[in-house]
Amino acid sequence: MQASASPRLGANGLACRRGDRLLFRALSFELRRAEALHITGANGTGKTTLIRSLAGLTHPYAGEVIRESALGLLDERPALDPDQPLGKALAFWQRIDGCRDPLPAIKMLGLEPLLEVPVRYLSTGQRKRAGLAALLNRNVPIWLLDEPLSGLDTAAIEQVTGLIQTHVKGGGIALIASHQVLAIEGLKSLELGDYATPNMQKDQFA
Amino acid sequence: MIAALLRRDLAKFFPFAGGGAALPVVFFVAVAMLYPFAVGPDANLLSRTGGGVVWIAALLAAILPLEKLVAEDIELGTFDQLKLRGLTEEAMMAVRLLAHWLSFGPPLVLAAFPAAALLNLDGPSLHLLLIGLIAGTPGLAAIGLMIAALTASLRAGAALSGLLLVPLALPILIFGAGALARQDTASIGFVAAISLLLVAIGPFAAGAAIRAAREV
């Protein structure tokens, strides 16, 4: 499925700002097929900003983003209508993505008993799993995951880590921003704090 | 993809679909019902001023759903996810514009019949009112969408959008209600022209506003 085109994701001298603060600069990396990168960094170092910039949602302050192939994003907001039952909310994205067989992903993530429950009644972890189901059903080679494990219980953490592992082994790319330790083979790691501007560090420890 | 999006937007905004979605139409008819009680049952006065009241009611009914129109989907991340799927903000906003108009334009045109009866409007006036509303409501929808997108990331967005709409909607109101006062269809042509212009720039202005809202 994903091996047809060779996906690529990277940054070249990337610098991003939030408000009038430069969060990080001179960030360069490159991921090719079957590679995964774990972005670490204290709160406010710009993990989410980096991910949104890589996704093409915001423009970087300087540098460029290399993005070849379709890309999926999982963040704090699963983009599911709070008033709709989970099944209907997911069905919207299935129609958008032209997904024929959404059930395996829904079953795998244990969402089947929740399909009739309105999204606003779901817990953080359940919403996270629903967002992941939508991502799985998109079948895209590049995954950008912003705190994919937050709010998940131990069993779900193991399962999600396994899913990421499978995705990467299948030739995909995963970029994960997380405070948790990720048990994924061949996972590279990047500390975003290392790229912070001097100003920024003074701010942080003042 | 566009069809699926339109289907969802319609389900979200169409009257009688969810809680409070029928509000614009109820509001519109309520104004037409209350007006005769407020100014008294003078049939001449009602038929002379009724058309203008219907236009004001239509304008205000159009801004009732503004608060939910764009802000909610920015917060939910819907627009971000659609963008990742290759849809431009302009296309999303064009679909939203169509859904917004369908959710209040045609219902208001239908509600104009009971409103006209309540306000003692005669046949020619009703005729002008109907084609005026058909020509003017797309413009009102476009103004509403632009304002909703511009104010989506502001805390006092809802209050501000009401204020912003008034000057922008004036041309439509002047020519739309003016057609009734002068009993001529030429003004409706102006309404249609203004509407067309607003509908043409609406998705671009709203799309740019959504993009700008991301770059905080």
Side-chain angles (χ1 to χ4, degrees), chain B residues 15 17 27 33 40 54 57 59 70 80 103-104 109 120 132 148 159 169 171 183 213:
Chain B
F27 179 85
M33 276 199 294
V54 170
L59 199 156
V70 175
D80 291 351
S103 74
F104 82 91
V109 170
N120 194 32
Q183 295 283 329

Side-chain angles (χ1 to χ4, degrees), chain A residues 72-194:
Chain A
L73 167 73
L74 175 73
D75 60 7
E76 295 298 301
R77 308 161 307 160
L80 300 167
D81 273 328
D83 297 331
Q84 297 256 326
L86 178 62
K88 278 194 170 176
L90 283 173
F92 163 65
W93 291 111
Q94 285 148 22
R95 275 197 300 275
I96 292 274
D97 297 330
C99 173
R100 296 257 166 76
D101 189 16
L103 270 181
I106 288 172
K107 275 189 188 151
M108 186 164 35
L109 287 156
L111 295 168
E112 220 181 2
L114 301 171
L115 288 179
E116 299 296 319
V117 181
V119 172
R120 88 188 107 105
Y121 292 130
L122 298 182
S123 73
T124 317
Q126 287 167 337
R127 266 176 233 205
K128 192 65 104 186
R129 282 180 0 226
L132 206 67
L135 177 66
L136 276 172
N137 280 334
R138 274 195 70 194
N139 208 356
V140 287
I142 303 179
W143 283 8
L144 296 177
L145 309 171
D146 192 0
E147 294 293 350
L149 305 182
S150 72
L152 294 182
D153 56 36
T154 328
I157 285 181
E158 218 164 276
Q159 192 185 24
V160 170
T161 321
L163 282 174
I164 301 172
Q165 179 85 69
T166 316
H167 172 73
V168 173
K169 275 202 175 141
I173 289 177
L175 184 135
I176 310 131
S178 176
H179 294 294
Q180 266 111 331
V181 180
L182 294 163
I184 294 170
E185 272 173 58
L187 183 70
K188 290 190 276 186
S189 165
L190 189 148
E191 165 62 45
L192 205 51
D194 296 346

Side-chain angles (χ1 to χ4, degrees), chain A residues 21-22 25 196-205:
Chain A
R21 287 202 326 180
L22 198 59
R25 65 195 159 92
T197 54
N199 260 343
M200 166 75 199
Q201 273 174 346
K202 221 189 301 160
D203 274 3
Q204 238 180 3
F205 298 120

